[in-house]
Amino acid sequence: MVQIPKTPDPASSSAPRSVPTSADVARLAGVSRATVSYVLNNTSAVRISEPTRRRVHEAARELGYVPHAAARSLRAGHSRLVLMPAPSFPAGPLYSRFLTELQWALGRLDYTVVQHGTVGLRGDEAARAWAEMRPVAVLVPGFDLGPQGVEVLKRSGARAVVTLGPEAVDGAHALLMDHEAVGHSAARHLYERGRRRIGVLIPAEEGLEVFSAPRLDGARRAVEGTDATVTRVPLAYEERDAARLAARWKSLGLDAVFAYNDEYAMLLMRALQDEGLAIPGDTAVIGADDLMLGRLLRPRLSTVHLELPSGRDLAALVDRAVRDPDAAPERHKVLGAAVVHRESS
Amino acid sequence: MVQIPKTPDPASSSAPRSVPTSADVARLAGVSRATVSYVLNNTSAVRISEPTRRRVHEAARELGYVPHAAARSLRAGHSRLVLMPAPSFPAGPLYSRFLTELQWALGRLDYTVVQHGTVGLRGDEAARAWAEMRPVAVLVPGFDLGPQGVEVLKRSGARAVVTLGPEAVDGAHALLMDHEAVGHSAARHLYERGRRRIGVLIPAEEGLEVFSAPRLDGARRAVEGTDATVTRVPLAYEERDAARLAARWKSLGLDAVFAYNDEYAMLLMRALQDEGLAIPGDTAVIGADDLMLGRLLRPRLSTVHLELPSGRDLAALVDRAVRDPDAAPERHKVLGAAVVHRESS
DNA sequence: TTGAAAGCGATACCAC
DNA sequence: GTGGTATCGCTTTCAA
């Protein structure tokens, strides 16, 4: 819960003429506050004479009047706010693009999108912080939310809660990002190309387990019941650690590796090549995310291309959910995973 | 200005027991709303008996009560909201990290950070949209804000407006990101290593001119009065365009290139190498941003390392500005630019 | 220690 | 056409 301090220093301002309200506009225009509201909101149920309209607009402009969103939504009993937690890890270009598109699409539907900088708050605490803003909809990527969190949000007026992540949460709509499929495709691909001892690179960095764990699981599942093995290989995103790993690579006895994503793949590939190993000869490498950089490597990096949901579709889902909050939660698989075979595998 | 529709479909909800208010908590606990407020906010000016406190907390928990931020800040006359526009272009890892750090630091100071998904709104329109939320401070990266925008925000109660960008804006604090220095360092470096015909890669993509233009200018300035030349070289971030550029590279007669950033550098380097050109022999290449990938290229990519401001420092600046809104606007140069010489130049 | 009530800013109903 | 005014949820005097 956000604490509001008791007016830090009341006497510090050099009389900054206080913020203009609709009452000020009314006074200046010589009309009532009601009229101001009618004019400024183009209320169609009421006809206001042209001269009056002009006077009101003039007054508003002159005062630099800007309506008070909090007051408005308090009165209205609801907002058009769609809230998402701001990502706590560096978002890749994929996700950034998705986010921009989504904001644009929701903007078109007249929603205001806001990313809430939730910091150390976990789980229900975070949900409460979001609920304080009384958003009409909440979009939550990842694992940040449990069923209770959903309940908190709904009880506080959120008409739609949508999770984007590997698992559905009770009571919320779910856009299922099936990261298992990513690992599955990758391992399958390696298997089909004759590899049997498959390593799966797992970032040592915090906060990425949400994605890496299911990718690993998917790889495991892909070779279940075959003669192939899957080995978990942790790697920090830094040269030294990659060099260390490369130095003991032969001892691992792997003939292929799925490298979490293209960036980790690049890091590992370089280290292996520096160590004199041939790619894909000695070790096949495949990444994920289909970033530009993979195309620029030599050998060209095989990768798993991810298809994120379109921002427009998600915006439409949100709008639908807001309009009909009691509809059964929708579940959509939204992560297309397709192997792009290049030269490294 | 956000339009609120006249209650889309009033009859669609299956009586979702309405959102609990502090009055509900009071009723359930058998006390007055005042007491609820005292208890929930730990008001120190007033002693509430332990049994009462317990009853209130219990009731709040049972109802799933979450305070209404809008009502609260309406009453209080101010918020603890720090607003930033959400970046409209894919933010690099540098900026992402900075953002996360900043949010964390502001969170520590008890501010709520929010990234506002401003879509098609330009200039003053955007400023008005932000002002509606009555943020106590606004942080604006880039060129999105003019002096009038600042005025709008201040008149609507923002106690601090901070711009992050190449230029200061009247009335606002400025964190000056001197991208000219980046280009200057790069070109200087190339010049000192004996290069005289320097190309500067400029992204063909929209929205990046804000950074690329000053970088080009800086490069120009660096060789002013020497026998060296600087040539503007547009490039789209795609392989085909890079290949086209590489094919006519020799005809450009350049012996060095500053490639806007490491990613464009990688793209170009690959295309040049594929064309059979030697780096740095035929053409020296230097990037910027000092991303990991530069270290992984062969030859290793020279680059300009950027030092962004620390999130903690910026948070402190914001806090200072909020506490003393009438202090003279601060101006800080915050973009350290240092050449990291590797093998490509 | 607790309660009654004013008021923050905007909107919409009901009079005139 | 336009103007009072009750109301949204919450905090905070002031009284009891």
Side-chain angles (χ1 to χ4, degrees):
Chain A
M1 188 183 308
V2 177
Q3 294 294 341
I4 295 186
K6 334 287 178 254
T7 68
D9 28 4
S12 71
S13 277
S14 69
R17 52 207 172 316
S18 56
V19 184
T21 74
S22 75
D24 296 320
V25 177
R27 204 156 18 240
L28 182 57
V31 299
S32 77
R33 287 153 68 223
T35 307
V36 170
S37 176
Y38 293 143
V39 172
L40 263 30
N41 295 310
N42 271 313
T43 308
S44 50
V46 153
R47 299 253 148 264
I48 303 284
S49 70
E50 205 42 54
T52 305
R53 306 183 81 82
R54 208 188 309 286
R55 285 217 314 285
V56 169
H57 276 124
E58 189 107 352
R61 221 180 25 74
E62 182 168 336
L63 292 176
Y65 169 72
V66 175
H68 192 306
R72 171 184 290 172
S73 72
L74 179 56
R75 169 63 226 230
H78 60 254
S79 71
R80 293 287 283 176
L81 198 69
V82 175
L83 185 145
M84 324 180 47
S88 56
F89 51 88
L94 241 66
Y95 188 69
S96 298
R97 197 183 318 282
F98 164 68
L99 215 64
T100 304
E101 198 185 328
L102 174 64
Q103 286 177 355
W104 190 85
L106 283 171
R108 301 288 310 183
L109 294 172
D110 202 28
Y111 293 95
T112 300
V113 183
V114 145
Q115 291 176 252
H116 189 281
T118 316
V119 275
L121 310 177
R122 292 185 318 289
D124 293 354
E125 265 190 278
R128 254 192 297 280
W130 304 335
E132 288 195 1
M133 304 198 78
R134 296 290 190 272
V136 69
V138 182
L139 261 55
V140 191
F143 263 153
D144 297 351
L145 197 66
Q148 322 191 46
V150 176
E151 189 53 26
V152 168
L153 289 168
K154 290 200 152 177
R155 285 184 74 96
S156 72
R159 294 167 67 96
V161 179
V162 183
T163 62
L164 292 79
E167 286 186 5
V169 178
D170 257 11
H173 300 275
L175 259 43
L176 291 164
M177 311 265 227
D178 185 10
H179 285 270
E180 276 201 39
V182 179
H184 192 277
S185 310
R188 191 88 226 146
H189 168 78
L190 294 172
Y191 183 86
E192 281 166 359
R193 299 199 60 83
R195 309 293 169 153
R196 289 300 175 267
R197 300 197 34 91
I198 301 173
V200 174
L201 229 55
I202 300 293
E205 281 73 23
E206 305 259 311
L208 264 33
E209 310 85 13
V210 191
F211 308 116
S212 64
R215 287 183 185 190
L216 173 58
D217 289 345
R220 288 235 158 85
R221 207 162 37 76
V223 298
E224 231 169 35
T226 73
D227 55 334
T229 63
V230 162
T231 309
R232 183 179 188 281
V233 184
L235 173 65
Y237 196 62
E238 40 173 81
E239 277 186 288
R240 266 190 344 210
D241 200 43
R244 265 199 302 268
L245 177 58
R248 63 189 184 88
W249 191 257
K250 280 185 184 154
S251 74
L252 293 175
L254 302 173
D255 59 8
V257 60
F258 164 49
Y260 177 66
N261 74 10
D262 290 350
E263 293 182 307
Y264 281 83
M266 181 179 184
L267 176 60
L268 177 68
M269 244 174 83
R270 171 52 58 204
L272 293 181
Q273 287 176 327
D274 285 356
E275 196 69 19
L277 284 96
I279 296 174
D282 296 322
T283 303
V285 177
I286 184 169
D289 290 4
D290 193 10
L291 301 183
M292 170 69 91
L293 63 81
R295 276 186 280 251
L296 304 178
L297 298 179
R298 296 299 179 266
R300 292 177 170 82
L301 181 65
S302 295
T303 190
V304 181
H305 176 87
L306 301 192
E307 196 73 57
L308 251 52
S310 107
R312 222 180 358 261
D313 290 349
L314 177 46
L317 164 60
V318 168
D319 191 43
R320 226 180 308 135
V322 166
R323 300 178 109 89
D324 184 4
D326 297 317
E330 299 185 31
R331 304 263 114 117
H332 296 283
K333 290 211 174 194
V334 291
L335 199 64
V339 168
V340 179
H341 181 209
R342 297 207 182 100
E343 304 164 350
S344 68
S345 63
Chain B
M1 188 183 309
V2 178
Q3 295 292 340
I4 295 185
K6 332 287 179 257
T7 69
D9 29 4
S12 71
S13 278
S14 68
R17 52 209 174 309
S18 57
V19 183
T21 74
S22 74
D24 296 320
V25 177
R27 203 156 20 239
L28 182 57
V31 299
S32 77
R33 289 153 66 224
T35 306
V36 171
S37 177
Y38 292 143
V39 172
L40 262 31
N41 294 311
N42 270 311
T43 308
S44 50
V46 155
R47 302 245 155 273
I48 304 284
S49 68
E50 204 44 53
T52 306
R53 305 183 83 83
R54 209 187 307 285
R55 286 219 313 286
V56 169
H57 277 124
E58 189 107 352
R61 221 180 25 74
E62 183 169 336
L63 292 176
Y65 170 71
V66 175
H68 192 306
R72 170 183 290 174
S73 74
L74 181 56
R75 167 68 222 226
H78 59 253
S79 70
R80 293 287 283 178
L81 197 71
V82 176
L83 184 145
M84 323 181 46
S88 55
F89 51 87
L94 241 64
Y95 187 69
S96 298
R97 195 184 320 282
F98 163 69
L99 215 63
T100 304
E101 197 185 327
L102 174 64
Q103 287 177 354
W104 190 85
L106 283 171
R108 302 287 310 181
L109 295 172
D110 203 27
Y111 293 95
T112 299
V113 184
V114 144
Q115 290 177 254
H116 188 282
T118 316
V119 276
L121 310 177
R122 293 185 317 291
D124 293 353
E125 265 190 278
R128 254 192 295 280
W130 304 335
E132 288 195 0
M133 304 199 79
R134 297 289 191 273
V136 70
V138 181
L139 261 54
V140 191
F143 264 153
D144 297 351
L145 197 67
Q148 321 192 47
V150 175
E151 188 55 25
V152 168
L153 289 169
K154 291 200 152 180
R155 285 184 75 96
S156 72
R159 293 167 68 95
V161 179
V162 183
T163 62
L164 292 79
E167 285 187 6
V169 177
D170 258 10
H173 300 275
L175 259 42
L176 292 164
M177 311 264 226
D178 186 10
H179 285 270
E180 276 201 40
V182 180
H184 192 277
S185 310
R188 191 86 226 150
H189 169 77
L190 294 172
Y191 183 85
E192 281 166 0
R193 300 199 58 83
R195 309 291 169 153
R196 288 301 175 267
R197 299 193 39 87
I198 300 173
V200 174
L201 229 56
I202 300 293
E205 282 73 25
E206 305 259 310
L208 264 31
E209 311 85 13
V210 190
F211 309 115
S212 64
R215 287 183 186 190
L216 174 59
D217 290 345
R220 289 234 159 84
R221 207 163 37 77
V223 298
E224 230 168 37
T226 73
D227 56 335
T229 63
V230 163
T231 309
R232 182 179 188 283
V233 184
L235 173 65
Y237 195 62
E238 41 175 83
E239 279 186 286
R240 265 192 344 213
D241 201 43
R244 266 198 301 267
L245 177 58
R248 62 190 184 88
W249 190 256
K250 280 184 182 154
S251 75
L252 293 175
L254 302 174
D255 59 9
V257 61
F258 165 49
Y260 177 66
N261 74 11
D262 290 350
E263 294 183 306
Y264 282 82
M266 181 180 184
L267 176 60
L268 178 67
M269 245 174 80
R270 171 52 58 204
L272 293 180
Q273 287 175 328
D274 285 355
E275 196 69 21
L277 284 97
I279 296 174
D282 296 323
T283 303
V285 177
I286 185 170
D289 290 3
D290 194 10
L291 301 184
M292 169 70 90
L293 63 83
R295 276 186 280 251
L296 303 178
L297 299 178
R298 296 298 178 265
R300 292 177 169 82
L301 182 64
S302 296
T303 191
V304 181
H305 176 86
L306 301 192
E307 195 73 57
L308 251 52
S310 106
R312 217 172 12 252
D313 290 349
L314 178 46
L317 165 60
V318 169
D319 192 44
R320 225 181 307 135
V322 166
R323 300 178 110 89
D324 183 4
D326 298 318
E330 298 185 31
R331 307 257 117 116
H332 296 281
K333 289 212 174 193
V334 291
L335 199 64
V339 168
V340 179
H341 182 210
R342 298 206 183 99
E343 304 164 350
S344 68
S345 65

